[in-house]
Amino acid sequence: MKLQSFAEERWHVPEGDGKELPSAVDGSTVATVSSSGLDFSAMHAYARRVGGHNLRQYTFHERAGMLKELAKYLSDRKQEFYALSTSTGATRADSWIDIDGGISTLFVFSSKGRREMPNDMVYLDGPPEMISKEGTFVGQHVYTSRRGVALLINAFNFPCWGMLEKLAPAILAGVPVIIKPASSTAYLAELVFRRIIESSILPQGAAQLVCGDLGDLFDHLDCQDTIAFTGSKSTAEKLARHPRVVAETVRFTAETDSLNMSILGPDAAPGTPEFDLFVREVTREMVSKAGQKCTAIRRVITPSEFSSDLVRTLSTELGKVRIGNPASKNVDMGALASQAQRNEVRSRIKELRAEASVVFGNQDVFAVTDADIRKGAFFMPTLLHCERPLASRAVHSVEAFGPVSTVLPYDSLDEAIELARLGAGSLAGSIVTNDNEVARDLIMGCAAWHGRMLIINRYCAGESTGHGSPLPHLVHGGPGRAGGGEELGGVRAVLHFMQRTALQGSPKTLAHIGHRWIRGGEELDPGVHPFRKTFDELRIGDTLHTTSREVTLDDINHFAEFTGDHFYAHTDEEAARKNPFFDGRVAHGYLIVSFAAGLFVDPDFGPVLANYGVDDLRFAKPVNYGDTLKVRLTCKQKTMREGSGYGEVRWDTEVINQLDEIVASYDVLTMVATREEWQKIQAS
Amino acid sequence: MKLQSFAEERWHVPEGDGKELPSAVDGSTVATVSSSGLDFSAMHAYARRVGGHNLRQYTFHERAGMLKELAKYLSDRKQEFYALSTSTGATRADSWIDIDGGISTLFVFSSKGRREMPNDMVYLDGPPEMISKEGTFVGQHVYTSRRGVALLINAFNFPCWGMLEKLAPAILAGVPVIIKPASSTAYLAELVFRRIIESSILPQGAAQLVCGDLGDLFDHLDCQDTIAFTGSKSTAEKLARHPRVVAETVRFTAETDSLNMSILGPDAAPGTPEFDLFVREVTREMVSKAGQKCTAIRRVITPSEFSSDLVRTLSTELGKVRIGNPASKNVDMGALASQAQRNEVRSRIKELRAEASVVFGNQDVFAVTDADIRKGAFFMPTLLHCERPLASRAVHSVEAFGPVSTVLPYDSLDEAIELARLGAGSLAGSIVTNDNEVARDLIMGCAAWHGRMLIINRYCAGESTGHGSPLPHLVHGGPGRAGGGEELGGVRAVLHFMQRTALQGSPKTLAHIGHRWIRGGEELDPGVHPFRKTFDELRIGDTLHTTSREVTLDDINHFAEFTGDHFYAHTDEEAARKNPFFDGRVAHGYLIVSFAAGLFVDPDFGPVLANYGVDDLRFAKPVNYGDTLKVRLTCKQKTMREGSGYGEVRWDTEVINQLDEIVASYDVLTMVATREEWQKIQAS
């Protein structure tokens, strides 16, 4: 199999033979890889001219729809991915993380895109900023799609997940991708990518693939491009210092080495559920993907008094691990990615042994199942123990990228924190404790060095997703040694591929750009009561000014009686007067909004289907009996729910008293039928 | 005057003579500067050990209080700052931007800190992420203070504002600062800093000052430190590539060169108010601070057909500008920072003249007021005109940091966009148009290249803060040539000095860390009705489960009658049935929340003072008559209002029907008196 690249809508067969990629399991050649003959300048230009242009024609919701379709399409074809994945050394459980994990990331981004982003091309960041007295000049932060390419450079360990977790937010952001998988497992990435292209779900130019090296691609990047890199720290440093990256301030994020730690709490003595959970977590992290996870636990931080028990129990558990052909059902741990990788891990252990002793694992004598130990890159789980971890350096800085961890004892929480920090920045840290005070102290002490931290106890362990699993909902990345970057985290990841711009101007102009009405902006005459308009007919700015209504003492008394809300501020003149906010009895807040609805609602059967909520309700002034209230209701924002017959309409609402003071301010949320749906409903 | 540095709580007099800093106005020596003899390693360690430790003892609100005090303290002493500022070449108007602008930035950050951040040390980023089915394992993003130093490197043009706009968010974030002002105007920064220290408002170690170069300070930085740099692009590149910065992934943000543009809309013909506004804006940006603003308009993009009118009008306006001693009342524009700076600007104009011709400004012959033209760094405003801007390079890349702009004609909006983009990334862009369609097209075309964009028209011009003014509320920075960084923008700037970490664990544990109750977390028995508890006595998690109440058809009819809300879904059985969301008449949403209040309120006079609002109200299920409702009310979050006798208490509220389905979900916001205040109120 000669891996191909995909450039400018064509599959490209490399010139020459390319580099051979051996199977992790038996050393046979799975494929060859080379990018020779690719025109990187043309790829870069094509992505921008065609891919970016095409993607930007769609709204966030429409792009989210593409991701969902893509997830379904790939899900239907995942068996072939699983089959090929075995050659990377992955067991079925390992492949599940890579393949199902990758596909589920598409689903989550699709869902987040539809729920948490507007059905629009502009994303509004925060509320308007009121920067003038009269309100004629306001500010609004917006995000728009960056006009460059998302260059996605992945590591060898998760060829499917790594590609999809970077692709999803970039596509959602409206930015075309050029994907460069790590060569050693590029055959799986190429297969998944081939299916993506076959599906024709993404628009032309939205995705290109480079199997092999990136040639002179970096020389074409500029400030609109984004590099998302996962791999070694040394490569990341080289890329970050690339003259073009620095000169053009190309946006660059890296996820690199990480000596992740897990701390066993001082309460979690042998015999407690937390001790067992810790053993399970450490073992699982060592064995899963044969320890080739950037989030794996490398440093096992334990109270000194538990360390011998811990080493003994971990050794017992590691002793049960069956190593061998990942395709076999009787195997718990497959192979490392390659024999080269195995040699690499061996050298790293040698470095660690200067400060720590091996307490489990013998690379010279171990059995493998269903495989030839001489041909495959098999490796025995190896546990080390470091006696004086505060005085050691290698155990905090040398990453053996395999099933290798070191036990580091501590004598006080401060020491545990100090040990955690010595990792100099990590992707993931965990704490196993049933004492929430311990949890808080450790989090406050360590969080600044970590991108993600778990606290595991008996209560949440059953549903815990585990130390080593990045989730699309949560940010993934970490400071320092971990690369200083951030990925995932839902919408946060999407915005990473967009540009934030602070806009200033009149409320009317900014509403025209952001499609959200801003107070002080133009009030349009809807012609009819706005509740008589369908979703299609409503315009942002359509405004209703209601008639007014007096609030009487009888009303307040009656409301108290009817609802049972006899709160003293509404019912006891003397007590209300003592309250620092009121001069006497005031109307209930819920009475104010109920009367307001009575004023603004148009009762007849119509396209407004339901009030599904209220946001940001604030009572700005007390309403006393004798006050007269009226309402301004303005169509603020419309969000079509694709695939349904209705959309969400948000109404900016103010309740105003006889002195023209605002007494209450809120957004009313309604569902409104489209013209077509409204005709159907009427005909039903 | 021998400028001093402030290190480890002592003023440090430099060894040796130091570099002489000449007055911009008459060339006399204002001060000498040198950092020789400073122990940078000790300063760095001191900031972390003492300053960071001290700052982290305070909450965001307490730190915000310090900024407010500081702003008042400096405001009382600003006349001495104004007096010294003249030596930098600044007129009174220029100094107002620097001095009053800097002080008002402290006020805004103080206000944002108290209004938009919790009264706590941990900042919660977004809502909890529901990542498990049963809800026993959830996610929550938090920000904690980074444990390093904020190294704030400022430019010469705004010695006061530049220092304060970087200091405010860092202090608010709980991060100690080391400030390094640009040498040429360091005397003003040193004076302002001296007053900050004298005030004793900031805790020990929170702020240190380096006048002169930074020695080996960079060699001590690591992943917990943050560099915020303003200055030239070439210096920024050097710092970004510093081996230590790259290896330790020191957080680095830069605000550098920028060839900001302003576009005159095709509608804004001579004779329109917008044409006049454009002329005013361009003139002001050229003259203000003698054009030494990184946000000044360098590129004046105009419809070709208006360009000769524009050049003529601009020339007339520039001809009126009185140049000279900035201390004089008869002067509109002071001097450049130094004679060296003047020579620099002259060379840049020479480069520009390869592609553009000078249409106004003659450096050889011009008069100055109250000053000696040979001694001061005076410069005549210079306007150039480039005939073929799309084919030119220097006009888009050479920044003459003085009162210099180039007129660039365009023939279509697409050309205008292309010209804007050729700046390759800018801090600020503006558009002067009264056509909102034009505004939207230009924003969509250019926003990705800009950190901030204004749209000016006749409606908002009166309150516009102008093209060149960064505001503390809005982000400041830009992609590409502008450095790729971001500062300001309210809370966004504070978070820049903090670390985001995704936490995972049980709701109870995460609530214990973030001080915000999460659904699924522990419900505490309050002992008494929670409305009987003072702010001090309430515990996060205190939960009330109410009795239940049936909603009858009479209730719905009565509510409709009483409030006037006869919406068909509540009053017309047949119409309600046609509605896709309902099976028949349903209760009003406002009826549900009113009855809920009737259920959860404790009526007697007590420490709960007022319901000031409701957040995130969602009606999840319709309530039909015959349904029975009850409420769970849980104390979710407490925010003490420092200096008042009460705090805000947020209650997580769910209304539940007889099938245990949630029908409504929201946060109730109340003001609750402290124990002391409650005693006072009772005694009153």
Side-chain angles (χ1 to χ4, degrees):
Chain A
M1 184 157 82
K2 205 169 185 176
L3 298 186
Q4 298 179 17
S5 294
F6 187 76
E8 300 174 74
E9 241 53 53
R10 283 184 302 279
W11 284 99
H12 168 89
V13 183
E15 296 158 4
D17 283 342
K19 188 181 156 195
E20 293 190 356
L21 306 177
S23 156
V25 184
D26 62 14
S28 64
T29 298
V30 182
T32 64
V33 65
S34 161
S35 66
S36 78
L38 276 181
D39 181 343
F40 293 98
S41 166
M43 284 180 79
H44 181 253
Y46 183 77
R48 287 177 158 225
R49 200 183 67 246
V50 180
H53 175 82
N54 285 342
L55 277 170
R56 289 196 305 275
Q57 308 306 307
Y58 298 96
T59 66
F60 295 112
H61 287 206
E62 288 166 337
R63 292 179 212 135
M66 294 175 195
L67 295 181
K68 190 174 176 184
E69 268 192 82
L70 206 53
K72 286 185 196 162
Y73 188 91
L74 296 179
S75 196
D76 288 344
R77 284 150 187 85
K78 67 185 177 191
Q79 290 321 322
E80 60 173 330
F81 307 150
Y82 271 91
L84 188 58
S85 179
T86 304
S87 298
T88 70
T91 63
R92 189 147 186 102
D94 296 339
S95 297
W96 183 83
I97 300 174
D98 188 32
I99 297 164
D100 276 280
I103 293 170
S104 87
T105 300
L106 294 178
F107 276 121
V108 171
F109 272 97
S110 170
S111 160
K112 292 254 175 201
R114 275 172 295 130
R115 284 162 186 261
E116 300 176 16
M117 304 190 81
N119 196 357
D120 204 327
M121 284 90 164
V122 176
Y123 179 87
L124 303 180
D125 177 45
E129 292 285 340
M130 293 306 157
I131 52 176
S132 64
K133 260 194 188 149
E134 303 296 324
T136 64
F137 185 71
V138 298
Q140 174 67 57
H141 290 92
V142 302
Y143 279 92
T144 57
S145 305
R146 282 157 65 82
R147 299 307 184 88
V149 172
L151 175 56
L152 311 179
I153 307 176
N154 297 317
F156 72 83
N157 49 352
F158 294 107
C160 178
W161 176 84
M163 175 164 69
L164 298 180
E165 63 98 12
K166 288 185 166 74
L167 173 141
I171 294 294
L172 204 41
V175 174
V177 303
I178 296 180
I179 294 167
K180 188 256 176 287
S183 287
S184 64
T185 56
Y187 44 87
L188 181 54
E190 196 239 39
L191 178 63
V192 177
F193 188 88
R194 208 170 265 281
R195 296 296 168 256
I196 293 175
I197 296 303
E198 273 176 17
S199 77
S200 296
I201 291 166
L202 297 181
Q204 283 211 348
Q208 299 179 82
L209 179 75
V210 177
C211 288
D213 68 55
L214 283 172
D216 65 353
L217 182 55
F218 268 62
D219 297 333
H220 306 288
L221 301 179
D222 74 20
C223 76
Q224 294 295 310
D225 297 308
T226 308
I227 303 167
F229 170 83
T230 299
S232 76
K233 182 146 170 52
S234 58
T235 307
E237 287 186 19
K238 211 180 85 187
L239 301 183
R241 298 185 70 170
H242 188 285
R244 187 84 186 182
V245 171
V246 175
E248 301 283 332
T249 63
V250 179
R251 196 173 285 183
F252 179 75
T253 185
E255 192 258 87
T256 61
D257 307 354
S258 184
L259 280 109
N260 312 290
M261 62 79 190
S262 187
I263 301 176
L264 182 64
D267 57 302
T272 64
E274 281 70 28
F275 184 85
D276 298 340
L277 290 169
F278 189 71
V279 168
R280 194 180 75 183
E281 199 72 26
V282 171
T283 310
R284 192 163 53 191
E285 285 302 315
M286 287 180 73
V287 172
S288 165
K289 194 74 193 172
Q292 298 168 104
K293 294 199 303 189
C294 36
T295 52
I297 299 170
R298 305 284 171 214
R299 302 184 303 138
V300 179
I301 301 179
T302 173
S304 306
E305 64 268 38
F306 309 155
S307 73
S308 58
D309 274 329
L310 182 67
V311 165
R312 195 168 47 243
T313 319
L314 281 174
S315 300
T316 306
E317 292 303 311
L318 293 172
K320 296 177 191 164
V321 173
R322 297 163 302 175
I323 306 162
N325 189 334
S328 162
K329 281 185 183 160
N330 299 318
V331 160
D332 303 306
M333 188 173 99
L336 295 180
S338 64
Q339 301 241 2
Q341 189 60 29
R342 188 180 61 183
N343 297 339
E344 177 79 17
V345 176
R346 282 185 180 158
S347 323
R348 293 293 90 79
I349 290 178
K350 210 171 277 176
E351 291 177 55
L352 291 171
R353 289 179 70 172
E355 293 170 354
S357 45
V358 171
V359 289
F360 181 85
N362 181 340
Q363 297 311 324
D364 301 324
V365 199
F366 66 100
V368 298
T369 303
D370 262 359
D372 184 338
I373 197 167
R374 289 161 308 175
K375 289 186 179 165
F378 300 104
F379 203 90
M380 197 175 184
T382 301
L383 189 70
L384 296 99
H385 179 266
C386 174
E387 269 192 37
R388 299 181 52 225
L390 280 171
S392 300
R393 293 184 64 97
V395 296
H396 307 296
S397 59
V398 173
E399 188 186 28
F401 206 67
V404 183
S405 297
T406 307
V407 173
L408 315 174
Y410 71 83
D411 287 325
S412 67
L413 274 195
D414 280 347
E415 263 190 41
I417 290 171
E418 187 53 30
L419 289 174
R421 293 178 180 181
L422 283 171
S426 300
L427 296 168
S430 54
I431 299 163
V432 182
T433 177
N434 198 32
D435 182 333
N436 284 339
E437 274 306 316
V438 167
R440 185 174 157 90
D441 287 349
L442 290 175
I443 291 290
M444 293 309 288
C446 304
W449 280 264
H450 290 84
R452 181 168 59 86
M453 293 192 81
L454 292 84
I455 307 105
I456 300 172
N457 60 21
R458 64 193 75 178
Y459 178 73
C460 69
E463 291 202 292
S464 165
T465 48
H467 172 105
S469 302
L471 296 186
H473 316 69
L474 303 177
V475 293
H476 173 55
R481 192 188 307 281
E486 237 184 30
E487 295 187 337
L488 299 176
V491 174
R492 297 170 186 85
V494 181
L495 302 181
H496 180 71
F497 295 98
M498 305 184 74
Q499 172 67 38
R500 175 154 60 189
T501 306
L503 300 185
Q504 294 171 279
S506 82
K508 184 177 167 182
T509 306
L510 298 196
H512 189 74
I513 294 166
H515 297 153
R516 185 169 72 184
W517 191 78
I518 296 172
R519 285 185 185 172
E522 195 180 23
E523 296 180 7
L524 300 175
D525 178 358
V528 293
H529 190 290
F531 276 28
R532 305 254 58 79
K533 288 183 154 189
T534 62
F535 186 85
D536 313 79
E537 290 158 345
L538 275 171
R539 296 166 306 167
I540 291 169
D542 270 350
T543 297
L544 173 74
H545 286 275
T546 71
T547 56
S548 63
R549 157 171 202 165
E550 190 186 336
V551 179
T552 66
L553 184 56
D554 273 357
D555 287 333
I556 298 175
N557 285 332
H558 181 77
F559 191 77
E561 210 50 55
F562 176 56
T563 64
D565 180 352
H566 296 281
F567 191 64
Y568 69 91
H570 315 307
T571 55
D572 180 339
E573 194 69 31
E574 196 191 344
R577 257 185 228 288
K578 287 190 177 178
N579 179 312
F581 295 107
F582 307 126
D583 291 331
R585 294 173 65 177
V586 296
H588 305 68
Y590 300 110
L591 173 62
I592 298 170
V593 292
S594 298
F595 276 13
L599 290 167
F600 70 67
V601 154
D602 185 56
D604 295 342
F605 189 34
V608 173
L609 302 174
N611 166 15
Y612 72 93
V614 167
D615 271 345
D616 304 322
L617 169 59
R618 290 295 178 279
F619 300 112
K621 286 245 167 201
V623 172
N624 294 95
Y625 48 88
D627 284 357
T628 300
L629 305 181
K630 60 183 176 179
V631 182
R632 177 189 54 73
L633 185 81
T634 303
C635 174
K636 181 175 184 177
Q637 199 170 25
K638 295 167 62 184
T639 306
M640 185 57 205
R641 283 285 139 207
E642 302 292 341
S644 81
Y646 40 83
E648 297 161 10
V649 178
R650 179 178 285 267
W651 305 85
D652 188 279
T653 312
E654 280 178 342
V655 184
I656 301 149
N657 69 14
Q658 68 281 2
L659 303 172
D660 266 338
E661 296 166 330
I662 295 159
V663 299
S665 154
Y666 49 111
D667 283 359
V668 172
L669 313 179
T670 60
M671 288 289 185
V672 180
T674 59
R675 188 184 286 125
E676 198 187 327
E677 180 75 8
W678 173 228
Q679 282 165 357
K680 268 195 237 164
I681 291 174
Q682 282 174 299
S684 70
Chain B
M1 183 159 79
K2 206 168 185 176
L3 297 187
Q4 298 178 15
S5 294
F6 187 76
E8 301 173 73
E9 242 52 55
R10 282 185 301 280
W11 284 99
H12 168 90
V13 184
E15 296 157 3
D17 283 343
K19 190 182 154 193
E20 294 191 357
L21 307 177
S23 156
V25 183
D26 61 16
S28 64
T29 298
V30 183
T32 63
V33 65
S34 162
S35 65
S36 77
L38 276 181
D39 181 343
F40 293 98
S41 168
M43 284 180 80
H44 181 253
Y46 183 78
R48 286 178 159 223
R49 199 183 66 246
V50 180
H53 175 84
N54 285 342
L55 277 170
R56 289 196 305 275
Q57 308 306 310
Y58 297 96
T59 66
F60 295 114
H61 287 205
E62 288 165 338
R63 293 179 212 136
M66 294 174 195
L67 295 182
K68 190 173 176 183
E69 267 192 84
L70 206 53
K72 285 186 196 161
Y73 188 91
L74 296 179
S75 196
D76 288 343
R77 284 148 186 87
K78 66 186 179 189
Q79 288 322 321
E80 61 174 329
F81 307 149
Y82 271 92
L84 188 57
S85 179
T86 305
S87 299
T88 70
T91 63
R92 190 150 185 99
D94 296 339
S95 296
W96 184 83
I97 300 173
D98 188 33
I99 297 164
D100 276 279
I103 292 170
S104 87
T105 301
L106 294 179
F107 276 120
V108 171
F109 272 97
S110 170
S111 160
K112 291 254 175 202
R114 274 172 296 131
R115 284 161 186 261
E116 300 176 17
M117 304 190 82
N119 196 357
D120 203 329
M121 283 90 165
V122 176
Y123 180 86
L124 303 180
D125 178 45
E129 292 285 339
M130 293 306 157
I131 52 176
S132 64
K133 262 193 186 149
E134 304 296 325
T136 64
F137 186 71
V138 299
Q140 174 67 58
H141 290 93
V142 302
Y143 279 92
T144 56
S145 305
R146 281 157 65 81
R147 299 307 183 91
V149 171
L151 175 55
L152 311 179
I153 307 176
N154 297 318
F156 72 81
N157 49 351
F158 293 108
C160 178
W161 176 83
M163 175 165 69
L164 298 180
E165 64 99 11
K166 287 184 166 74
L167 173 140
I171 294 295
L172 205 40
V175 175
V177 302
I178 296 180
I179 294 167
K180 187 254 176 293
S183 288
S184 65
T185 55
Y187 44 86
L188 181 53
E190 196 239 39
L191 177 63
V192 177
F193 188 89
R194 207 171 265 282
R195 295 296 166 258
I196 292 175
I197 295 304
E198 272 176 17
S199 77
S200 297
I201 292 165
L202 297 182
Q204 283 212 348
Q208 298 180 82
L209 178 76
V210 176
C211 287
D213 69 55
L214 284 173
D216 65 355
L217 181 56
F218 267 62
D219 297 333
H220 306 287
L221 302 179
D222 73 20
C223 77
Q224 294 295 312
D225 298 308
T226 308
I227 303 167
F229 170 84
T230 299
S232 76
K233 182 148 170 48
S234 57
T235 307
E237 288 186 19
K238 211 180 84 188
L239 301 183
R241 299 185 70 172
H242 189 285
R244 185 87 186 179
V245 172
V246 175
E248 301 284 330
T249 64
V250 179
R251 196 173 284 182
F252 178 75
T253 184
E255 193 259 87
T256 60
D257 307 355
S258 184
L259 281 108
N260 313 289
M261 62 79 190
S262 187
I263 300 176
L264 182 64
D267 57 302
T272 63
E274 280 71 27
F275 185 85
D276 298 339
L277 290 169
F278 189 72
V279 168
R280 195 180 72 183
E281 199 72 27
V282 172
T283 310
R284 191 163 54 190
E285 285 302 314
M286 287 180 72
V287 172
S288 166
K289 193 74 193 173
Q292 298 167 108
K293 294 199 304 190
C294 36
T295 52
I297 299 170
R298 305 284 171 214
R299 302 184 303 138
V300 180
I301 301 179
T302 172
S304 304
E305 64 268 39
F306 308 155
S307 73
S308 59
D309 273 330
L310 182 67
V311 165
R312 194 168 47 242
T313 320
L314 281 173
S315 300
T316 307
E317 291 305 311
L318 292 171
K320 297 177 191 163
V321 173
R322 298 163 302 176
I323 305 161
N325 188 335
S328 161
K329 280 185 185 161
N330 299 318
V331 160
D332 304 305
M333 188 173 101
L336 295 180
S338 64
Q339 301 242 1
Q341 189 59 28
R342 187 179 65 182
N343 297 338
E344 178 79 17
V345 176
R346 280 183 181 159
S347 324
R348 294 292 90 77
I349 291 179
K350 210 172 277 177
E351 290 177 57
L352 292 171
R353 289 180 69 172
E355 293 170 353
S357 45
V358 172
V359 289
F360 181 85
N362 181 338
Q363 298 310 326
D364 302 325
V365 200
F366 66 99
V368 297
T369 303
D370 260 359
D372 184 338
I373 196 167
R374 290 160 308 176
K375 289 187 179 163
F378 299 104
F379 203 91
M380 197 177 185
T382 301
L383 189 70
L384 296 98
H385 179 266
C386 173
E387 268 191 38
R388 298 180 53 225
L390 280 171
S392 301
R393 293 185 63 98
V395 296
H396 307 296
S397 59
V398 173
E399 187 186 28
F401 206 68
V404 183
S405 298
T406 307
V407 174
L408 315 174
Y410 72 83
D411 287 325
S412 68
L413 275 195
D414 281 347
E415 264 190 40
I417 290 171
E418 186 53 30
L419 289 173
R421 292 179 181 182
L422 283 171
S426 300
L427 296 169
S430 55
I431 299 164
V432 182
T433 178
N434 198 32
D435 182 332
N436 284 339
E437 274 306 317
V438 167
R440 184 173 157 91
D441 287 350
L442 289 175
I443 291 291
M444 292 308 288
C446 304
W449 280 264
H450 291 84
R452 181 167 60 87
M453 292 192 81
L454 292 85
I455 307 106
I456 300 171
N457 60 21
R458 64 194 74 177
Y459 178 73
C460 68
E463 290 201 294
S464 165
T465 47
H467 172 105
S469 302
L471 296 186
H473 316 68
L474 303 177
V475 293
H476 173 55
R481 190 188 308 282
E486 238 184 28
E487 295 187 337
L488 299 177
V491 174
R492 296 169 187 85
V494 181
L495 302 182
H496 180 71
F497 295 98
M498 304 184 77
Q499 172 67 38
R500 175 154 59 190
T501 305
L503 299 185
Q504 293 170 279
S506 83
K508 184 177 166 184
T509 307
L510 298 196
H512 189 74
I513 294 166
H515 297 152
R516 187 169 71 183
W517 190 78
I518 295 172
R519 285 188 186 171
E522 195 180 22
E523 297 180 5
L524 300 176
D525 178 359
V528 292
H529 190 289
F531 277 28
R532 304 253 59 79
K533 288 184 153 187
T534 60
F535 185 85
D536 313 78
E537 289 157 345
L538 276 171
R539 296 166 305 167
I540 291 168
D542 270 348
T543 298
L544 173 74
H545 286 277
T546 71
T547 55
S548 63
R549 158 172 201 165
E550 189 186 336
V551 179
T552 66
L553 183 56
D554 273 358
D555 287 333
I556 298 174
N557 285 332
H558 181 77
F559 191 78
E561 210 50 53
F562 176 57
T563 64
D565 180 351
H566 296 281
F567 192 65
Y568 69 91
H570 317 306
T571 55
D572 180 337
E573 193 70 30
E574 196 191 344
R577 259 186 227 289
K578 288 189 178 180
N579 179 311
F581 295 107
F582 306 127
D583 291 331
R585 295 172 65 177
V586 296
H588 305 68
Y590 300 111
L591 173 62
I592 298 170
V593 292
S594 298
F595 276 13
L599 289 167
F600 70 67
V601 154
D602 184 58
D604 294 342
F605 189 34
V608 173
L609 302 174
N611 165 15
Y612 72 93
V614 167
D615 271 344
D616 304 322
L617 169 59
R618 290 296 178 278
F619 299 112
K621 288 246 168 200
V623 171
N624 294 97
Y625 48 90
D627 284 358
T628 300
L629 305 181
K630 60 182 176 181
V631 182
R632 177 188 55 71
L633 186 82
T634 302
C635 174
K636 181 175 185 176
Q637 199 172 25
K638 295 167 61 183
T639 306
M640 184 57 206
R641 283 284 141 209
E642 302 292 342
S644 82
Y646 40 82
E648 296 161 10
V649 177
R650 179 177 285 266
W651 306 84
D652 188 278
T653 312
E654 280 178 341
V655 183
I656 300 149
N657 68 14
Q658 68 281 4
L659 302 172
D660 265 339
E661 296 165 330
I662 295 159
V663 300
S665 154
Y666 49 109
D667 283 359
V668 173
L669 313 179
T670 60
M671 288 293 186
V672 180
T674 59
R675 187 183 288 127
E676 197 186 327
E677 180 76 8
W678 174 228
Q679 282 166 354
K680 268 194 234 164
I681 292 174
Q682 282 176 298
S684 72

